[in-house]
Amino acid sequence: MKRILAFSLLLMFSAGAISGCNTFEGAGEDIEQGGEEVQEAAD
């Protein structure tokens, strides 16, 4: 389970870096959305 969570986090951060967030606010929203998806996947 930890392996899946770690892979999911890595994938989300990579996707965020590739998409190139233009502002800190946008980056924060992307990270928040990614965290919510990880929480849903963990449930």
Side-chain angles (χ1 to χ4, degrees), residues 6-31:
F7 180 73
S8 297
L9 288 172
L10 177 62
L11 184 63
M12 285 184 294
F13 285 122
S14 297
I18 290 170
S19 68
C21 301
N22 292 327
T23 64
F24 287 107
E25 182 178 345
E29 290 173 2
D30 290 343
I31 292 169

Side-chain angles (χ1 to χ4, degrees), residues 1 3 8 10 12 17 33-36:
M1 185 67 178
R3 181 180 272 173
S8 297
L10 177 62
M12 285 184 294
Q33 182 180 7
E36 290 172 359

